[in-house]
């Protein structure tokens, strides 16, 4: 009898343990393993519903209000909301239609942590794919699945509560484990979903969830990459009208008239513009703007007889008086070394010369020759994928190329890059490869990197003849190129990141010069000039544009 009673007790305890095990299995998140089909699967919930991870308690990503903690202590920015609205129509899986300013701020903080660690956009995409699956990009502050909290649904062995709710700490904890499992950067060559799964360690039948979100995560990461601070700074274009972004996100524009330089600025981030203000400086100048390592913009103005510069006295602050920077010349370009030091190139009848900061945000070297270069060349600069600066110099008869032989280091000899033309512009693909555009009497041509030191042949794109050129990158990483001549403005764009270009389309009437900049939310803004003044046109979405309008008022005439 005692044995039978004991047997019944043990049997009941086993049954009770089984019930509790079933309850735990039902409430577990993806990272702890659950028998829940993936989004969009035949037996699972419809796409856009969210029953993965702790947010399985939601009717959808917008559903049940499990408490959340802020991702950015300052809260979501206006740019977060704008970027979310632009990305929502492009997404195809769980987050489609559900991105908002808060979730975008969380993805932004994750991306910032990846950048500050020195990793690339793919690492950001891996991290974002994980937080999409685990928490629908919510920084959950209440544990409803064991002890899992935060964006990555990390349990208590990952860190303290405060640490796991800190996006920077949580992201770095995730990346630490990623780099442990994939040493020597081998995660770059593994499928994104596979990397997420190996770090998070759910059950085998749940590993597919992360791969489903990889494409959307890549789109979000690429959009955020250009908009977050840190990482290599890419040069702004030079010309008669230029624009740079202040540390607080507002664009500042400069136009060079016959009387000197005029200045206008956004009165709010991504917002309206001030009236033009005359600031003096060289007349009929060529302009270039660059960002110091501390966030201060610096403007360079070169005329036939004078070279001056002025700078912000603090990040997003007012401007200094003009100071001499050298003698006159033809064209200029300014870019950034990988360590943040600005380097300036200028051409004249003797060739191409350069001058550089001796320390980030610091003083300047003397001018030095580059041992040649085409006389009176038009100049453009960009950073190669590894951070080395590359310079392109185009004259009426010659096209040559100069590049750093090491990051922040010495320079090569000039190399032939093609024949002569009218204007040159350069940009970088989403994968970092450089793409160079040049115009001539026959139209617009381009050439692109096929590897770190190899280039394609020149290929015609059509386009208008004898055009001034400018390039920019859309929020999803596609290169866009703009051309203007005396009668027409036109535009061409990559049909997808790192891909071929569209046919040219009319973008407006003719003018004298063209420039571009990216708003803090990633939208491209284009500036055109004519004998009547300065006007602009801006993206209202991924592929939609405003009409041309004056930049508040007409500004200086640019002939």
């Amino acid at each position: 009898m005692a044995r039978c009673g004991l047997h019944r007790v043990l049997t009941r305890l086993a049954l009770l343990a089984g019930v509790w095990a079933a309850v735990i299995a039902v409430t577990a998140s993806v990272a702890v393993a659950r028998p829940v089909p993936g989004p969009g699967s035949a037996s699972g919930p419809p796409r856009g519903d969210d029953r993965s991870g702790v947010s399985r308690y939601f009717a959808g990503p917008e559903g049940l209000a499990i408490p959340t903690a802020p991702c950015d202590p300052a809260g979501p920015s206006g740019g977060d909301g704008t970027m979310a609205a632009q990305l929502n129509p492009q997404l195809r899986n769980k987050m489609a239609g559900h991105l908002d300013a808060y979730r975008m701020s969380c993805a932004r903080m994750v991306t910032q942590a990846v950048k500050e660690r020195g990793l690339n956009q793919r690492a950001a995409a891996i991290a974002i794919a994980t937080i999409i699956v685990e928490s629908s990009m919510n920084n959950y502050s209440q544990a409803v699945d064991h002890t899992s909290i935060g964006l990555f649904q990390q349990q208590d062995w990952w860190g303290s509560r405060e640490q796991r709710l800190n996006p920077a700490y949580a992201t770095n904890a995730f990346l630490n484990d990623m780099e442990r499992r994939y040493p020597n950067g081998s995660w770059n060559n593994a499928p994104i979903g596979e990397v997420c799964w190996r770090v998070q360690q759910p059950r085998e039948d749940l590993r597919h969830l992360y791969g489903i979100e990889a494409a959307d995560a890549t789109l979000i990461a690429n959009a955020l990459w250009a908009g977050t601070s840190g990482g290599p700074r890419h040069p702004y274009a030079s010309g008669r009208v230029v624009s740079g972004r202040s540390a607080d996100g507002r664009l500042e524009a400069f136009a060079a008239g016959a009387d000197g330089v005029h200045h206008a600025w956004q009165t709010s981030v991504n917002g309206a513009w001030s009236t033009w203000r005359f600031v003096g400086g060289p007349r009929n100048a060529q302009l270039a703007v660059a960002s110091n390592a501390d966030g201060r913009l610096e403007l360079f103005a070169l005329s036939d007889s004078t070279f001056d510069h002025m700078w912000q006295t603090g990040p997003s602050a007012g401007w200094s008086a003009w100071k001499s920077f050298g003698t006159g010349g033809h064209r200029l370009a300014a870019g950034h070394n990988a360590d943040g030091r600005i380097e300036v190139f200028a051409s004249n009848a003797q060739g191409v010369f350069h001058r550089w900061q001796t320390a980030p945000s610091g003083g300047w070297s003397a001018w030095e020759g580059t041992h040649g270069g085409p006389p009176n060349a038009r100049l453009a600069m960009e950073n190669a994928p590894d951070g080395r600066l590359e310079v392109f110099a185009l004259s009426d008869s010659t096209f040559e190329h100069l590049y750093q032989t090491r990051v922040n280091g010495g320079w090569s000899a000039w190399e032939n890059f093609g024949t002569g033309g009218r204007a040159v512009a350069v940009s970088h693909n989403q994968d970092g490869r450089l793409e160079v555009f040049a115009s001539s009497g026959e139209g617009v041509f381009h050439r692109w990197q096929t590897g770190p030191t190899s280039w394609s042949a020149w290929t015609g794109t059509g386009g208008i003849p004898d055009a001034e050129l400018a390039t920019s990158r859309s929020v999803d990483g596609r290169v866009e190129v703009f051309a203007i001549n005396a009668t027409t403005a036109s535009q061409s764009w990559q049909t997808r990141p790192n891909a071929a270009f569209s046919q040219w389309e009319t973008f407006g009437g003719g003018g004298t010069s063209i420039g571009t900049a990216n708003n803090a939310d990633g939208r491209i803004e284009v500036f055109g000039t004519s004998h009547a003044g300065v006007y602009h046109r801006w993206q209202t979405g991924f592929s939609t544009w405003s009409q041309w309008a004056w930049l508040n008022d007409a500004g200086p005439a640019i002939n």
Side-chain angles (χ1 to χ4, degrees), residues 60-122:
E62 76 284 16
L64 180 65
I66 297 174
T68 59
C71 285
D72 184 342
S77 69
D80 292 329
T82 301
M83 190 175 289
Q86 291 179 351
L87 287 171
N88 268 323
Q90 308 296 316
L91 302 179
R92 293 292 177 266
N93 290 294
K94 180 178 177 181
M95 297 310 300
H98 296 296
L99 273 186
D100 57 19
Y102 170 74
R103 291 183 176 94
M104 207 71 209
S105 74
C106 293
R108 171 169 54 82
M109 298 303 286
V110 168
T111 302
Q112 182 68 41
V114 172
K115 273 192 169 184
E116 290 176 353
R117 190 182 176 100
L119 299 182
N120 60 19
Q121 287 165 266
R122 196 167 194 275

Side-chain angles (χ1 to χ4, degrees), residues 346-371:
S347 67
N348 63 18
Q350 283 72 52
V352 180
F353 299 79
H354 69 142
R355 191 178 181 188
W356 59 92
Q357 286 181 324
T358 55
S361 307
W364 290 87
S365 72
W367 283 103
E368 286 191 4
T370 61
H371 306 291

Side-chain angles (χ1 to χ4, degrees), residues 40-53:
S41 65
S43 58
R47 189 183 73 192
D49 200 2
D50 176 16
R51 299 177 191 170
S52 302

